[in-house]
Amino acid sequence: MKSAETISAILDQQARKYGDRTYLFFEDQKVTYGELAQRGTRLACGLRASGVSAGDKVAVLLTNSPSFFDVFFGVALTGATLVPINPRYKFREVKDIIDRVEAETLIIEKELWGDLKGLQEGCKLIKNIFFKGSDTPPGLRPFTNLYSDKNVALPGIKFEDEFAIIFTSGTTGAPKGVVLTHGNYVTNAFQGARGKDFNESTRVLTCLPLVHVNAQVSSFLGSFVMGGQLVLQKEFHPKEFLVALSKYSVTSFAAVPTIYAILLNQADLNQYDFSHLTYCISGSAPMSRALRSNFEKTFNANILEAYGLTEATAMVSTNPPHGIRKVGSIGLPYENIKMKVVDFEDHTLDSNQVGEILISGPNVFKGYFKEPEATAKAVVNGWLHSGDLGYRDDDGYYFLTGRIKELIIRGGINIYPKEIEDIIATYSKIAQVAIIGIPDEIWGERVHACIISKENQRVTVEEINNYLKDKIASFKIPNTLSLHREFPMGGLGKIKKQKLKEVVMQVGGCNEF
């Protein structure tokens, strides 16, 4: 069967081929391919009836559940644009995203509404808020009302049509909206699935948030387009994860190094059956050789390190499941994806020379939402500048060596210092602040705040913690803090963060939250 080129087409294709086959396992629920198509279509009709048209933005605040798949496919069928928002974000962060995309529709679940109910009055462009849960508040509409049995005409969708805006922070402050098309999603799903040898026997387990494009494309769509199956968990709980691996005869899962470390430290691992596990994917942060070796020995399954970024939809490369696996490498690019290493003048470098990694292919994003200058800087002559440093060996395998961007990766989650610095700088006792990443055995990196207080003022960790807790997501709040009289500065007045990091690492003894 010829591969479909849009999400709506692939949904129809797979429902026809695998209609009665269970695709999704979630808690005590099972959902077939056919049911996903039916539910997605009903929700699409409800969205259209509520006034959602092609090109409209639908903001979504949902945790992992079958409802997310209904919304995902429903939005795709309407030709509207999905704007998934991290459920851990605070009011300021959520409002900023909704306002920037000018969303008129919001879907939100009950457990998130308490801290975000100010959106009802604060987001003036919002026309409809659909509430998932019991006791719908006044002025909101029940999420169940979106499921319509009325036959509503749905638009034709093309490969190049916009499907999602995924917000990912940049080093210069406010998050950027990465615009991805139907073609980006479907192409990258097939690229990753074929590169990882997914098939009808594949059963993937994921606890990663479905609002993240990695879970959407790598685990969800990747297994869906190949006729496989998905075991979904609402969030990560080590014991429940291990039980699911055994109970559902899981063949593969993707996780960040932190999760591998936590799983390995659980007691009584010999009580679980991991015999169906073939290999696991690790990405988002470097994995130590010791962790990799211990996990592979204990679980009897290889770990394949992978590489990707939102601007490339999700997946770019991985060590092949069959053939040569090079430990420490991010492997080979997937089909129809090109990679190269360049110097800072964009001259292509030879093998084993370190430079910036560039990516080209049909998975490269359409652009940053309403930021043409940033888009032009990121994609030059069809090549996406990743901001990551690395090299290619003589066999064509790629290796990462560092990051150009001031990016902190905590437990596989990207954290951008400038956003945190801007908020801490508004605190009355602060003269200057610099956020850096410090190595951490469990999380990979932790967020550390370097602070210069105003004269005759002293800042405590409790103060900073309390000041930030309602302004940014908890995972962005610094884990440790150090007080300084001055920062090492460069000739242009920029803080030399690498030098600052060395100072902090040498001195130690930081106050901890």
Side-chain angles (χ1 to χ4, degrees):
M1 182 178 291
K2 182 181 178 181
S3 298
E5 293 187 334
T6 65
I7 295 170
S8 49
I10 201 69
L11 175 63
D12 178 68
Q13 174 180 289
Q14 298 303 83
R16 291 175 184 273
K17 187 175 182 180
Y18 300 105
D20 294 330
R21 175 175 167 80
T22 296
Y23 168 70
L24 178 65
F25 299 88
F26 177 76
E27 297 178 347
D28 59 347
Q29 302 177 55
K30 295 180 181 180
V31 185
T32 67
Y33 278 83
E35 288 170 336
L36 281 178
Q38 293 169 7
R39 289 160 56 155
T41 301
R42 292 182 64 212
L43 194 135
C45 291
L47 285 171
R48 294 284 283 184
S50 72
V52 174
S53 301
D56 289 349
K57 311 300 187 292
V58 179
V60 176
L61 276 157
L62 295 174
T63 57
N64 286 3
S65 76
S67 297
F68 184 90
F69 299 84
D70 300 347
V71 172
F72 183 93
F73 286 125
V75 172
L77 289 167
T78 65
T81 301
L82 183 76
V83 186
I85 303 174
N86 193 328
R88 298 177 67 182
Y89 278 3
K90 302 297 184 181
F91 174 81
R92 179 191 66 84
E93 297 163 302
V94 174
K95 182 180 183 302
D96 175 65
I97 290 174
I98 291 175
D99 287 346
R100 285 174 61 187
V101 302
E102 299 179 345
E104 296 182 352
T105 301
L106 169 64
I107 299 173
I108 186 169
E109 63 184 63
K110 182 175 183 178
E111 66 184 77
L112 304 174
W113 181 246
D115 293 332
L116 299 173
K117 57 186 177 183
L119 296 172
Q120 190 172 10
E121 297 296 328
C123 297
K124 301 300 182 183
L125 292 177
I126 290 287
K127 294 180 179 178
N128 290 306
I129 299 178
F130 292 94
F131 183 83
K132 181 177 178 284
S134 58
D135 304 319
T136 303
L140 276 58
R141 302 174 65 180
F143 174 71
T144 52
N145 285 6
L146 276 177
Y147 293 90
S148 174
D149 291 320
K150 293 182 179 180
N151 190 9
V152 177
L154 298 173
I157 310 295
K158 300 186 293 296
F159 182 91
E160 65 272 14
D161 286 345
E162 176 183 305
F163 170 63
I165 302 176
I166 310 293
F167 276 83
T168 179
S169 296
T171 58
T172 56
K176 290 182 174 67
V178 175
V179 180
L180 299 170
T181 67
H182 278 256
N184 288 149
Y185 266 78
V186 174
T187 297
N188 200 226
F190 275 110
Q191 288 171 328
R194 289 168 178 156
K196 292 180 289 188
D197 199 27
F198 280 6
N199 53 51
E200 293 179 353
S201 300
T202 296
R203 187 171 285 184
V204 178
L205 170 64
T206 188
C207 61
L208 301 176
L210 287 170
V211 295
H212 291 176
V213 73
N214 181 274
Q216 291 173 30
V217 180
S218 179
S219 298
F220 161 28
L221 274 184
S223 57
F224 188 83
V225 300
M226 302 305 285
Q229 297 174 302
L230 182 72
V231 180
L232 178 69
Q233 294 188 320
K234 186 170 184 178
E235 55 192 0
F236 178 64
H237 294 291
K239 290 296 183 184
E240 293 177 12
F241 194 90
L242 292 169
V243 168
L245 283 176
S246 179
K247 176 181 177 181
Y248 293 102
S249 301
V250 169
T251 63
S252 181
F253 69 86
V256 298
T258 302
I259 288 180
Y260 287 102
I262 293 172
L263 291 175
L264 193 58
N265 289 330
Q266 298 304 302
D268 302 322
L269 289 175
N270 57 359
Q271 69 178 296
Y272 304 103
D273 179 11
F274 305 133
S275 61
H276 292 83
L277 197 59
T278 56
Y279 62 84
C280 312
I281 300 293
S282 177
S284 296
M287 174 178 281
S288 70
R289 289 179 177 270
L291 174 57
R292 183 192 303 105
S293 176
N294 290 338
F295 186 91
E296 290 181 342
K297 181 179 179 181
T298 303
F299 285 77
N300 194 31
N302 286 337
I303 291 177
L304 306 180
E305 290 180 280
Y307 172 68
L309 62 162
T310 307
E311 287 87 344
T313 305
M315 301 173 286
V316 174
S317 68
T318 189
N319 268 280
H322 308 292
I324 298 173
R325 178 176 66 115
K326 295 197 176 187
V327 174
S329 167
I330 56 172
L332 303 168
Y334 291 120
E335 62 179 5
N336 298 322
I337 295 178
K338 295 179 180 179
M339 298 172 68
K340 66 179 180 179
V341 180
V342 302
D343 61 18
F344 290 110
E345 294 181 350
D346 274 7
H347 298 138
T348 302
L349 298 174
D350 293 332
S351 298
N352 302 307
Q353 290 185 306
V354 174
E356 183 179 12
I357 292 177
L358 271 57
I359 301 148
S360 178
N363 58 311
V364 172
F365 74 140
K366 186 175 182 179
Y368 291 115
F369 182 69
K370 290 187 176 180
E371 296 193 54
E373 292 183 2
T375 301
K377 186 177 180 180
V379 182
V380 181
N381 297 323
W383 287 92
L384 170 64
H385 285 247
S386 69
D388 292 308
L389 294 172
Y391 66 92
R392 182 189 69 256
D393 72 7
D394 293 331
D395 298 319
Y397 283 68
Y398 284 80
F399 294 77
L400 295 180
T401 59
R403 297 186 297 273
I404 297 174
K405 303 173 184 177
E406 295 176 352
L407 176 65
I408 299 170
I409 302 178
R410 181 185 183 274
I413 298 177
N414 292 354
I415 300 172
Y416 298 85
K418 185 65 163 57
E419 180 188 12
I420 306 171
E421 290 167 351
D422 287 346
I423 298 174
I424 293 180
T426 63
Y427 190 56
S428 59
K429 293 184 179 181
I430 302 295
Q432 203 170 0
V433 58
I435 299 295
I436 59 176
I438 298 295
D440 185 274
E441 290 185 0
I442 296 297
W443 296 101
E445 286 183 300
R446 67 174 184 267
V447 182
H448 180 90
C450 302
I451 289 175
I452 298 176
S453 303
K454 290 182 179 177
E455 189 174 357
N456 298 323
Q457 299 283 350
R458 183 169 180 82
V459 183
T460 66
V461 292
E462 291 80 7
E463 284 180 85
I464 298 298
N465 196 0
N466 289 331
Y467 187 70
L468 292 177
K469 68 179 182 181
D470 295 321
K471 295 179 175 64
I472 56 175
S474 59
F475 61 82
K476 299 178 184 178
I477 295 177
N479 303 97
T480 52
L481 177 150
S482 55
L483 301 176
H484 301 255
R485 291 181 181 154
E486 61 181 12
F487 292 151
M489 308 293 285
L492 298 176
K494 288 190 67 174
I495 299 172
K496 300 172 75 171
K497 287 195 173 181
Q498 184 57 41
K499 181 65 176 176
L500 183 59
K501 182 175 179 177
E502 292 172 4
V503 170
V504 172
M505 296 286 289
Q506 289 173 359
V507 173
C510 302
N511 298 317
E512 294 194 7
F513 285 121

